[in-house]
Amino acid sequence: MNIIFKICMICIAGTIAVPATFGQYYYKVFFEDKLRFGRGFSVLEESPDRYMFNGGIIHDSSKFESNLFFSNWEQNKIEVLKDFDHIEEWTSPISRSIKFDGKYYYYLTFDIYTQNKHPDSVGWNYGVLDTKGNQIVSKKIYIKPSQTFNNQTQSLEFVKNNEIILWGAGIPPYNDPKVWDPYLLWVRLKKDGTQVSGLNYYKLPNVAAPNYATESKLDLDSNMVVVYDAYDIPKEKYILKIKENDSIETVVRIPYVSKLERFDPKICVTHDGHYIVSNHLPDNKQGVELMKVSKESKIIWRQTFDLLSGDYLTLKNALNTRDLFVSRIIETKNGDIVICGGNSVVDDFYIPSLGEKIFTGTNLGSFMARFTKSGQLLWRHFLVNMDTSVNKLTWTGLRDVIEASDGSLVFTGDYGVKAQPTKYLPFMMKVGPNGCFDDRCSHVDKYWYFPKNFLSSATAIEQDEPLLIYPNPGRDVVKLKIPASHQSHDILQYMVRDIKGQILIQGVIESGQPEISTQFLPSGMYIISLMDEQGKLWHGKWIRD
């Protein structure tokens, strides 16, 4: 039986980490001392600065991962809404399996370990919770499993007529149960759980390779659309619409250009009625692209971004970031497009305690990027999380993003635990529209780093000790002498501003006596600043000839 309970805790050790705060922005890791393992799957905004999360967790006392719904607000309070600690049902880790209508939460799970259960007793589970975690509706949709595939859920969508569609993938009972050939599967309910239609199965005609839809969104006509990649005969990308009468309309049909066989296309419906879909680049390149597509299957624009590259070991100009996949695509209130996802990272990283660079990597770093409505790239960041206790990169995964009511971006995913390479936990972060913790992106150099409690310059502690800058005047390169009062183990940020205060160069120091390239700056006077993790700030004036 499901365990439903409410816990309201304020700064209880081991329940929620004290957040690393940066003005109105912050990040934090959940349940550090209570779990062996955890992942953040999706996030919803219940009200300003109150968020609800769906996570996958393994308790210290358990061997298996289960689901947990919990809410968090005011940076340090948490309430567990539902803990599926009996490990018998599961939500999709790649789609949003929970929705909020302003009053109630609606969720969808599917039964697991069905081989040990009677086939007539298993299927999908629909539930409704209020904001305190009380169960309002609980309904079982019975679906017999096949020998090759469990009937998995993906997501649910509110549609017209006060109905909700639960959907996923399954093998129809009239097909050979020994053949792995999943169909699109959906059930239509009223919000109170009354079944309207289903089980409904659909497979694209004349598509040879087994595949299934991987994400849904609500279209402007309040019908649900899903994205579907067929990577074999024919090799095409589809957007399918489930209409009111449960018929299927092929809305978009375009060539699928990648040689990769992946089950992870994502979709977003824009305010102007078009679709943003993700795609892998052709010829097995390591990046991803976005395409804006009209209902007439016309590609309006397609856009990607450069991967990081550099020299490491004996390789010259090799890719540092590769194997990208998109986890989520959203449209912001002003029409911009924000994406997040995962990637692998290999590079040389400077370790202050060693005084040298080391070669390290991880198969799950992450990235985020923002585009204008016309497809212009505004920024992209590749995130890394350096564990200095073992001098290795640790896990960092971004699985979901939303735009909060104040215009900030809220992400959830997985955060690697220090000194425990195999452990990672659910985390969230709230950042600015630029994807950073401050307007200067002072924790971003080649990579986006998780800063410690860096203070903004508005609250920084000014120091009487001047910053020594040489040569002064200078030209293409400026050198800084680290202040004697600086703690050697602290990370330093630098910033170069013009006399109007505009930030022209910024970054993180990776060596004892840093050099800053200034060759592109025009002649004039500049202010160069250093700031440490405690907020100590040093300034100096510099003149470029």
Side-chain angles (χ1 to χ4, degrees):
M1 181 175 180
N2 293 343
I3 297 177
I4 307 169
F5 58 95
K6 297 180 291 179
I7 307 174
C8 187
M9 305 174 237
I10 303 177
C11 295
I12 297 179
T15 302
I16 181 171
V18 176
T21 59
F22 317 92
Q24 62 179 310
Y25 305 127
Y26 54 91
Y27 73 90
K28 55 193 167 185
V29 181
F30 298 107
F31 310 110
E32 281 191 284
D33 295 337
K34 299 296 183 183
L35 305 180
R36 289 193 293 111
F37 172 95
R39 301 185 288 176
F41 291 162
S42 57
V43 56
L44 300 171
E45 184 180 43
E46 183 179 306
S47 59
D49 214 27
R50 183 177 182 123
Y51 305 103
M52 192 276 188
F53 298 88
N54 173 22
I57 64 170
I58 296 181
H59 293 280
D60 282 335
S61 59
S62 174
K63 296 181 180 179
F64 303 102
E65 187 177 17
S66 61
N67 274 104
L68 181 73
F69 299 155
F70 62 97
S71 62
N72 173 240
W73 71 102
E74 294 180 2
Q75 299 190 24
N76 61 357
K77 300 179 182 180
I78 190 169
E79 184 174 11
V80 175
L81 301 179
K82 187 175 182 70
D83 187 347
F84 295 82
D85 71 341
H86 59 301
I87 327 293
E88 292 182 356
E89 53 188 276
W90 188 237
T91 66
S92 168
I94 62 173
S95 299
R96 288 183 179 148
S97 298
I98 189 163
K99 301 286 183 179
F100 183 59
D101 67 357
K103 186 176 181 180
Y104 297 108
Y105 288 108
Y106 302 78
Y107 67 87
L108 174 64
T109 68
F110 64 95
D111 291 333
I112 57 177
Y113 306 117
T114 56
Q115 66 273 17
N116 300 323
K117 302 171 184 176
H118 193 282
D120 292 330
S121 68
V122 299
W124 292 358
N125 307 283
Y126 169 71
V128 181
L129 304 172
D130 65 16
T131 56
K132 298 299 182 182
N134 299 307
Q135 193 84 37
I136 307 301
V137 176
S138 180
K139 180 180 178 64
K140 169 80 75 173
I141 297 99
Y142 294 99
I143 310 173
K144 289 184 178 182
S146 74
Q147 297 179 28
T148 59
F149 188 78
N150 192 17
N151 299 291
Q152 297 179 2
T153 60
Q154 289 284 16
S155 188
L156 66 168
E157 294 290 343
F158 301 136
V159 294
K160 58 177 60 177
N161 303 323
N162 199 37
E163 294 175 350
I164 189 165
I165 291 180
L166 320 179
W167 74 275
I171 295 180
Y174 47 79
N175 281 13
D176 187 345
K178 299 178 181 179
V179 177
W180 187 80
D181 188 14
Y183 282 42
L184 174 64
L185 168 60
W186 72 96
V187 178
R188 189 184 296 264
L189 307 176
K190 293 293 186 180
K191 286 186 174 180
D192 64 3
T194 302
Q195 191 158 339
V196 178
S197 73
L199 306 172
N200 303 291
Y201 293 90
Y202 179 80
K203 181 182 178 181
L204 283 164
N206 303 316
V207 171
N211 207 338
Y212 51 88
T214 51
E215 191 170 47
S216 65
K217 287 293 187 295
L218 190 68
D219 211 342
L220 296 190
D221 63 0
S222 296
N223 286 312
M224 187 184 88
V225 292
V226 297
V227 62
Y228 179 109
D229 277 358
Y231 55 79
D232 200 357
I233 309 167
K235 199 176 181 72
E236 293 178 314
K237 180 185 293 287
Y238 297 83
I239 296 176
L240 308 176
K241 177 177 291 187
I242 301 179
K243 303 178 76 172
E244 284 182 79
N245 61 358
D246 289 317
S247 64
I248 295 290
E249 176 188 351
T250 299
V251 182
V252 169
R253 182 177 180 180
I254 55 178
Y256 177 61
V257 299
S258 177
K259 293 182 179 179
L260 296 177
E261 299 178 357
R262 298 288 293 269
F263 295 111
D264 58 0
K266 301 298 177 183
I267 185 172
C268 172
V269 179
T270 62
H271 302 327
D272 57 5
H274 299 305
Y275 306 104
I276 307 293
V277 292
S278 63
N279 196 24
H280 289 279
L281 294 176
D283 302 323
N284 287 343
K285 292 184 179 179
Q286 301 295 331
V288 295
E289 71 170 0
L290 293 186
M291 294 192 298
K292 187 172 186 178
V293 186
S294 72
K295 286 181 168 62
E296 295 73 37
S297 297
K298 178 183 177 182
I299 298 176
I300 300 171
W301 55 256
R302 60 198 315 161
Q303 183 61 275
T304 185
F305 49 84
D306 291 336
L307 305 180
L308 297 181
S309 61
D311 299 340
Y312 58 89
L313 296 181
T314 61
L315 302 176
K316 298 294 183 182
N317 199 32
L319 286 178
N320 300 126
T321 51
R322 57 194 304 162
D323 306 320
L324 274 66
F325 62 90
V326 176
S327 296
R328 195 74 71 230
I329 309 172
I330 66 168
E331 184 183 32
T332 63
K333 290 187 284 287
N334 72 346
D336 287 350
I337 304 300
V338 177
I339 67 173
C340 66
N343 56 269
S344 60
V345 182
V346 289
D347 207 343
D348 292 322
F349 292 87
Y350 181 80
I351 306 297
S353 61
L354 299 178
E356 62 183 13
K357 289 186 175 183
I358 64 167
F359 176 74
T360 183
T362 177
N363 63 359
L364 188 58
S366 54
F367 71 91
M368 54 173 123
R370 186 167 187 150
F371 304 82
T372 66
K373 63 177 67 177
S374 61
Q376 178 185 359
L377 178 66
L378 294 173
W379 50 259
R380 67 97 176 91
H381 305 308
F382 285 97
L383 285 66
V384 294
N385 188 6
M386 177 61 70
D387 184 353
T388 54
S389 65
V390 293
N391 295 330
K392 292 182 179 180
L393 292 182
T394 186
W395 194 282
T396 305
L398 294 182
R399 297 181 181 271
D400 196 13
V401 57
I402 60 171
E403 183 186 32
S405 54
D406 62 1
S408 60
L409 300 176
V410 178
F411 294 85
T412 190
D414 326 325
Y415 185 91
V417 177
K418 301 297 183 183
Q420 300 184 61
T422 61
K423 183 176 181 180
Y424 41 96
L425 294 172
F427 89 105
M428 65 87 67
M429 63 181 182
K430 182 179 182 180
V431 297
N434 61 354
C436 300
F437 292 109
D438 57 42
D439 57 2
R440 309 187 313 273
C441 285
S442 58
H443 56 100
V444 180
D445 198 346
K446 180 178 181 179
Y447 294 95
W448 185 108
Y449 294 88
F450 281 94
K452 298 181 181 177
N453 280 310
F454 287 171
L455 304 179
S456 67
S457 58
T459 59
I461 306 167
E462 299 285 348
Q463 298 295 297
D464 294 331
E465 182 182 3
L467 178 63
L468 180 59
I469 305 170
Y470 62 97
N472 195 0
R475 191 163 181 82
D476 292 341
V477 175
V478 62
K479 298 181 180 181
L480 309 179
K481 184 176 181 180
I482 303 297
S485 58
H486 166 61
Q487 300 293 323
S488 60
H489 60 276
D490 278 357
I491 298 173
L492 285 171
Q493 304 169 71
Y494 64 82
M495 178 173 58
V496 180
R497 294 172 294 165
D498 60 19
I499 59 175
K500 296 180 181 180
Q502 181 180 1
I503 300 170
L504 304 175
I505 309 173
Q506 59 187 356
V508 178
I509 289 178
E510 289 192 346
S511 61
Q513 297 298 328
E515 295 184 357
I516 303 173
S517 175
T518 54
Q519 58 184 353
F520 67 92
L521 294 178
S523 299
M525 179 179 292
Y526 299 89
I527 306 297
I528 300 180
S529 305
L530 284 180
M531 186 166 65
D532 69 10
E533 299 172 35
Q534 282 69 48
K536 294 179 182 178
L537 191 64
W538 298 268
H539 297 298
K541 293 181 179 179
W542 177 71
I543 297 175
R544 188 182 192 277
D545 288 337

